Structure formats: structure tokens, C-alpha cells
């Protein structure tokens, strides 16, 4: 029965995560923490192994989603690759810190992280062509990208230095909490860099795939992975990642952002309550 539940958790978390560019970790991790509180069958859950499992599952969520998005030409491969320069070292830092975190503390800070991210969505978006850092508008560190989105050219720009710095912090949160980084990177791309949601989400899934490979490798080396439960989640994660990517392209950008807000508010409040 536990293995069936793990398959369903993998499917639903990856489906929601792929729609919103989260990677599924913001669903996968708190759901397992919830089951651990009320069922002896999940007494094996710890912050270390649940994060390790989440990151491995997100490899398959990220790969499935990215392949689907690439076919639809929605991934900003250049920007995603640039951000990986910061997110991969950050992920390794987060994995190192994770080994010192206890369950109650983990739940509290995870919940606060979710509410912080939600608050970012109520910040006014910057103008599409407004430089992220003053006086860098024509500098060599300012990146400008143009995409054909539903027959219209969409342009956005950002500072490469700021992007890499933010990606490092996002990567660290990913390695620490097992959330894939999308819950932070998608709002940053939309709010700070002017990415359209239909480009930010696919690019986030592209990054999640590579950063999850690195982070999970570190957790595997540390012996945090429970393989039987992890393998039960992977088929659901692959299917959920594909279905979520398909649904994403049928939704309005504002709908995607509201899905992000609602999911994170519910999870954040629930985890904070559980920590006490």
C-alpha cells in the first residue's frame, strides 16, 4: 500500500510542479512529512531522506517536462544554462547544510520559505525592458532575450551577474529543502527579470533537471536515499511531468501564477503549524 501511495504522490506532485515550474518538491516533501506525522508506515521519513528522494524524483519530472517544452520551443536554454553556473554550486552547499537540520526546524523554515515566495508575487513586476541593475543597460553583463510567443515577439532583459547570484541562493535552497528551486526561481524570473510565465516555467524545469542530478548525487554519496520508496515514485513523476507540461501551455499566465500562490500558501501554513 505504501508503494501505491508513493506512486500517487510522485504523480500529483510532478503534475502540479510541472504546471507551475516548481519541480514537484514543494508538494512531494510536505506530503511525506504529513504522512510521517499520522502514519507509522512512514516512520522512516527524515529531513535527509525525504529531501534526497525528492531530488531524485525531480530528475525524472524535470527531464519529462523539459523534453515536452523543448518540442514546443518554450525553453530559454541560454538563460537556463547561465543560471546553472550559480545554482549547481549553491545546490551542493544546501546538501551540506541539510545534514545538520532536524525535523521540526526543517518544517518551520520550509513553511516560512513558501510564504516568503508567495509574498514575492504581490510585488509589482518590473517593466520588460527595464534594466535590473542601473547603469548596466548597455553593459556586457546585461542579457536581452527575445522569444516568439504565440505569434508575438516577447522581449525581456536581466543582469547576468544578478541572475547567477540569485541562482546560487535558489540552488542552496534546493539542496537544503529538496524543492528543486523552481518555487524561488520562477518568481525571480517573472518578477525581477520580466520573463513571461510561459517561458519562465519551462526554463525552470530545464534548470531543475540538471541541478537535481547534482544535488541527488551528493545525497546518494551521503547514503540518504531509500531506494525502494524512491523507485515507486519515479513512474508517477515521469507521467506527471509530461501531463503538467502539456496542461501548462493551455493555461493563461495569470492562472499559472495563481496556482503557485494558492499551493504555496496552503503548504506554508500547514508546515508552520506542524512544526510546533
Amino acid at each position: 500500500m505504501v508503494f501505491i501511495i508513493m506512486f500517487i504522490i510522485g504523480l500529483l506532485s510532478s503534475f502540479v510542479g510541472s504546471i507551475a515550474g516548481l519541480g514537484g518538491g514543494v508538494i512531494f516533501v510536505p506530503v511525506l512529512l504529513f504522512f510521517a506525522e499520522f502514519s507509522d508506515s512512514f516512520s522512516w521519513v527524515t529531513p535527509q531522506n525525504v529531501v534526497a528522494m525528492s531530488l531524485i524524483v525531480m530528475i525524472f519530472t524535470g527531464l519529462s517536462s523539459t523534453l515536452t517544452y523543448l518540442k514546443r520551443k518554450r525553453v530559454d536554454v541560454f538563460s537556463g544554462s547561465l543560471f546553472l553556473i550559480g545554482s549547481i554550486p549553491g545546490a551542493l552547499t544546501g546538501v551540506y547544510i541539510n545534514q545538520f537540520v532536524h525535523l521540526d526546524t526543517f518544517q518551520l523554515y520550509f513553511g516560512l520559505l513558501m510564504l516568503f515566495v508567495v509574498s514575492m508575487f504581490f510585488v509589482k513586476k518590473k517593466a520588460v525592458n527595464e534594466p535590473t541593475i542601473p547603469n548596466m543597460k548597455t553593459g556586457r553583463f546585461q542579457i536581452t532575450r527575445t522569444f516568439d510567443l504565440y505569434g508575438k515577439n516577447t522581449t525581456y532583459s536581466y543582469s547576468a551577474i544578478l541572475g547567477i547570484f540569485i541562482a546560487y541562493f535558489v540552488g542552496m535552497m534546493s539542496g537544503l529543502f529538496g524543492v528543486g528551486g523552481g518555487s524561488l526561481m520562477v518568481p525571480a524570473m517573472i518578477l525581477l527579470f520580466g520573463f513571461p510565465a510561459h517561458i519562465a516555467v519551462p526554463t525552470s524545469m530545464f534548470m531543475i533537471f540538471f541541478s537535481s542530478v547534482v544535488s541527488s548525487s551528493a545525497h546518494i554519496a551521503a547514503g540518504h536515499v531509500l531506494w525502494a520508496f524512491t523507485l515507486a515514485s519515479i513512474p508517477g513523476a515521469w507521467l506527471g511531468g509530461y501531463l503538467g507540461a502539456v496542461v501548462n501551455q493551455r493555461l493563461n499566465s495569470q492562472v499559472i501564477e495563481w496556482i503557485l500562490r494558492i499551493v504555496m500558501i496552503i503548504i506554508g501554513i500547514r508546515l508552520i503549524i506542524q512544526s510546533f
Side-chain angles (χ1 to χ4, degrees), residues 167-225:
Y168 175 84
F169 174 76
V170 168
M172 184 169 65
M173 294 299 101
S174 172
L176 176 59
F177 292 112
V179 295
S183 55
L184 287 170
M185 201 64 205
V186 171
M189 286 191 285
I190 292 174
L191 299 173
L192 300 180
F193 304 148
F195 277 62
H198 283 297
I199 299 297
V201 169
T203 304
S204 170
M205 296 307 299
F206 169 80
M207 292 175 59
I208 283 170
F209 168 67
F210 288 100
S211 62
S212 295
V213 169
V214 175
S215 299
S216 61
S217 297
H219 277 289
I220 291 171
H224 294 160
V225 181

Side-chain angles (χ1 to χ4, degrees), residues 2-20 22-29 31-32 35 53-54 56-58 60-62 64-65 205 229-247:
V2 174
F3 294 105
I4 295 175
I5 293 175
M6 291 303 298
F7 173 86
I8 295 172
I9 293 174
L11 174 66
L12 294 179
S13 62
S14 297
F15 176 71
V16 175
S18 182
I19 288 177
L22 305 178
V26 294
I27 309 294
F28 190 90
V29 173
V31 167
L32 284 183
F35 277 111
M53 292 169 61
S54 173
I56 291 176
V57 167
M58 281 190 294
F60 295 89
T61 306
S64 176
S65 301
M205 296 307 299
F229 300 116
T230 304
L231 293 174
S233 307
I234 289 174
W238 180 271
L239 178 60
Y242 168 76
L243 294 175
V246 172
V247 171

Side-chain angles (χ1 to χ4, degrees), residues 17-56:
S18 182
I19 288 177
L22 305 178
V26 294
I27 309 294
F28 190 90
V29 173
V31 167
L32 284 183
L33 293 175
F34 174 82
F35 277 111
E37 185 178 0
F38 295 102
S39 174
D40 291 337
S41 298
F42 290 84
S43 59
W44 46 268
V45 171
T46 67
Q48 287 72 38
N49 60 39
V50 74
V51 167
M53 292 169 61
S54 173
L55 289 168
I56 291 176

Side-chain angles (χ1 to χ4, degrees), residues 51-276:
V51 167
M53 292 169 61
S54 173
L55 289 168
I56 291 176
V57 167
M58 281 190 294
I59 293 175
F60 295 89
T61 306
L63 179 59
S64 176
S65 301
T66 299
L67 291 175
T68 303
Y69 286 130
L70 283 171
K71 291 179 182 178
R72 298 168 184 265
K73 298 181 179 180
R74 291 290 180 263
V75 181
D76 187 343
V77 176
F78 176 84
S79 296
S81 301
L82 182 68
F83 296 150
L84 284 171
I85 295 173
S87 67
I88 288 178
L92 294 175
T93 304
V95 170
Y96 175 76
I97 297 173
N98 173 268
Q99 62 186 315
F100 303 109
V101 179
H102 297 289
L103 183 60
D104 290 343
T105 305
F106 181 85
Q107 290 177 322
L108 174 61
Y109 286 115
F110 195 115
L112 291 173
L113 174 68
M114 293 298 97
L115 296 183
F116 169 74
V117 172
V118 171
S119 69
M120 291 178 63
F121 275 100
F122 293 95
V123 177
K124 184 178 179 181
K125 293 183 183 180
K126 78 182 192 76
V128 171
N129 291 316
E130 181 184 336
T132 309
I133 298 179
N135 301 322
M136 294 186 68
K137 188 171 183 180
T138 58
R140 59 180 177 175
F141 298 117
Q142 187 72 16
I143 306 297
T144 300
R145 302 287 291 161
T146 300
F147 265 77
D148 183 339
L149 200 59
Y150 303 114
K152 296 182 179 179
N153 283 337
T154 300
T155 300
Y156 50 91
S157 63
Y158 58 90
S159 162
I161 295 176
L162 182 61
I164 292 172
F165 176 79
I166 291 176
Y168 175 84
F169 174 76
V170 168
M172 184 169 65
M173 294 299 101
S174 172
L176 176 59
F177 292 112
V179 295
S183 55
L184 287 170
M185 201 64 205
V186 171
M189 286 191 285
I190 292 174
L191 299 173
L192 300 180
F193 304 148
F195 277 62
H198 283 297
I199 299 297
V201 169
T203 304
S204 170
M205 296 307 299
F206 169 80
M207 292 175 59
I208 283 170
F209 168 67
F210 288 100
S211 62
S212 295
V213 169
V214 175
S215 299
S216 61
S217 297
H219 277 289
I220 291 171
H224 294 160
V225 181
L226 300 179
W227 285 106
F229 300 116
T230 304
L231 293 174
S233 307
I234 289 174
W238 180 271
L239 178 60
Y242 168 76
L243 294 175
V246 172
V247 171
N248 170 278
Q249 296 302 303
R250 298 174 183 268
L251 294 177
N252 180 276
S253 294
Q254 291 186 340
V255 173
I256 296 173
E257 291 182 22
W258 273 106
I259 290 174
L260 273 166
R261 291 170 181 167
I262 293 170
V263 169
M264 289 183 187
I265 289 173
I266 293 172
I267 291 172
I269 293 174
R270 175 64 190 172
L271 286 173
I272 293 172
I273 292 173
Q274 282 182 226
S275 69
F276 293 105

